[in-house]
Amino acid sequence: MGVARSKPEPETRPIAAEAIKAWRFSTADYPRGERRQAWREVLSRLRLPLGEPPEHDGHDPFRGEVSCIVSPLGMDFAVMSASPQAISGRNPNQPAAVWLAVLLKGDASFFDGETTVDLEVGDIMYGPSGMNAALRLTTPFRLLFINAPRVAVDHRLIAPLSLKVGRLPGGHGLGHVFSGLLRATADALGEMTADQLRPIELALTEFLVANLAAQGSPASQGGAIAARAAHLHRVCQTVETMLSDPELTLEKVAEADGISPRSLQKLFAAAGQNFSTYLRHRRLERCRLDLTSPMFASLSISEICFRWGFNGSAHFSRAFKDRYGVSPREYRKGQAPAG
């Protein structure tokens, strides 16, 4: 503590050897005069716009702590605790993402761009990056913040460009179940590896979509009536259970859902989607997850692509590179833990 630095740089410490993409930060590691700048830089690393924190006298110095882990899909899971402050505005330089924040402790209010509401512990806030919002934390607080790349979320939203800033009450209904999952994740985060977050990151997307549908969000409805949106979401869930079938076709999915192929095609078209493209993207996402999972490290790339319904490794490699910018082999190598 108290080591002089020519330029304040937030110090991050690995949480565990097996959790390569994980770090912790505490203002306690800095002299008091450097803590605010270090905290500002840490929130910048989390791509959060920090409003000016209140001044504290010598008896109540500013403090802040962060414990963060990055999931296999590239989602940041960060538990933050700090002195009262405002996290407000928007970060125009942030990569396209969807964020969620869960109030775990403290008093706070939330401005969604139109109205301000007082928050209850367990309430969930969400929104796309680049949109104005304000979270005002008026007492010492604890918060779970999740930042998810849009590629990890948009495939499950029927109309992703319609997503707005909003709030999900955590005290009742499906929001209560979702909040419980997120709060339990926050409590266990310090003991988890990135690989243990895999089922949580998948459930997180499904819970978000389901909650948006329950709220009647345009992002879940695609501008159509709620029944049509719910129908398409149900069809997408059916597709998930059939991805491994190399002979999967629109006709097979339509038969499983009890509608005509033409009706199914129209259902996707009304949401601005195409069945074949959707199917390919979902298979690629499943392969991408397996390429980084220790559970499937013994499988070859060909075995993984066949596992999710691709008929040939050459075709899979071309599709993967078109989608993610690198070959499956390069991607697997780049995601491997440092030895």
Side-chain angles (χ1 to χ4, degrees):
M1 293 178 59
V3 178
R5 299 175 176 85
S6 58
K7 178 182 178 182
E9 294 181 356
E11 180 181 335
T12 58
R13 304 187 298 276
I15 290 178
E18 68 273 21
I20 302 300
K21 296 182 179 180
W23 51 271
R24 287 192 179 114
F25 166 86
S26 174
T27 53
D29 294 333
Y30 292 82
R32 291 188 180 184
E34 298 180 13
R35 291 179 182 179
R36 294 175 187 279
Q37 180 60 26
W39 180 251
R40 187 177 296 278
E41 291 182 13
V42 163
L43 290 201
S44 177
R45 177 175 180 175
L46 292 171
R47 295 179 288 275
L48 283 169
L50 177 63
E52 195 63 36
E55 293 295 330
H56 293 269
D57 58 33
H59 300 290
D60 186 20
F62 178 81
R63 68 169 190 86
E65 297 179 353
V66 175
S67 178
C68 182
I69 188 169
V70 183
S71 77
L73 279 180
M75 298 184 186
D76 291 322
F77 286 75
V79 175
M80 307 163 52
S81 59
S83 301
Q85 60 189 273
I87 301 173
S88 61
R90 65 188 185 92
N91 185 350
N93 298 319
Q94 179 178 348
V98 174
W99 57 266
L100 295 95
V102 187
L103 184 64
L104 304 173
K105 179 181 179 181
D107 297 330
S109 63
F110 179 62
F111 174 69
D112 63 6
E114 296 182 359
T115 59
T116 299
V117 295
D118 291 331
L119 296 177
E120 300 288 339
V121 169
D123 282 357
I124 304 167
M125 299 140 280
Y126 65 87
S129 58
M131 296 189 70
N132 190 45
L135 176 60
R136 301 194 179 279
L137 301 139
T138 55
T139 64
F141 69 91
R142 187 167 179 262
L143 182 78
L144 172 65
F145 175 74
I146 301 170
N147 192 79
R150 295 214 65 143
V151 68
V153 178
D154 280 2
H155 66 276
R156 302 302 290 141
L157 295 175
I158 295 173
L161 296 181
S162 298
L163 183 64
K164 305 296 183 184
V165 175
R167 177 182 68 96
L168 302 172
H172 60 273
L174 192 58
H176 179 65
V177 179
F178 191 19
S179 177
L181 169 67
L182 296 176
R183 283 184 282 176
T185 300
D187 289 341
L189 193 66
E191 304 168 2
M192 300 180 75
T193 66
D195 193 53
Q196 290 171 331
L197 279 174
R198 290 177 186 278
I200 295 174
E201 63 185 358
L202 295 174
L204 184 151
T205 304
E206 294 302 316
F207 266 111
L208 177 60
V209 171
N211 274 275
L212 291 175
Q215 282 196 330
S217 166
S220 68
Q221 295 184 3
I225 61 173
R228 178 178 293 176
H231 189 182
L232 181 55
H233 181 59
R234 187 170 66 249
V235 167
C236 291
Q237 291 177 318
T238 298
V239 171
E240 290 296 305
T241 69
M242 305 171 75
L243 287 176
S244 61
D245 180 2
E247 304 300 325
L248 184 60
T249 61
L250 181 143
E251 288 74 19
K252 280 191 175 183
V253 175
E255 182 180 0
D257 193 64
I259 61 174
S260 71
R262 182 174 176 80
S263 295
L264 182 58
Q265 197 169 35
K266 286 183 176 181
L267 196 61
F268 274 92
Q273 297 208 31
N274 172 278
F275 173 79
S276 297
T277 301
Y278 178 83
L279 176 61
R280 182 172 67 256
H281 287 176
R282 291 305 303 137
R283 282 174 166 163
L284 287 169
E285 278 294 305
R286 290 293 188 173
C287 290
R288 186 169 78 95
L289 288 173
D290 284 1
L291 286 171
T292 62
S293 173
M295 292 178 59
F296 305 110
S298 63
L299 295 183
S300 69
I301 292 174
S302 294
E303 287 172 323
I304 287 175
C305 81
F306 292 140
R307 187 170 181 264
W308 290 111
F310 283 97
N311 287 311
S313 57
H315 167 66
F316 164 68
S317 293
R318 287 194 298 271
F320 191 95
K321 189 167 186 177
D322 286 344
R323 180 70 170 164
Y324 302 113
V326 295
S327 70
R329 189 175 304 279
E330 292 170 330
Y331 185 83
R332 177 179 250 182
K333 184 177 179 180
Q335 297 295 314

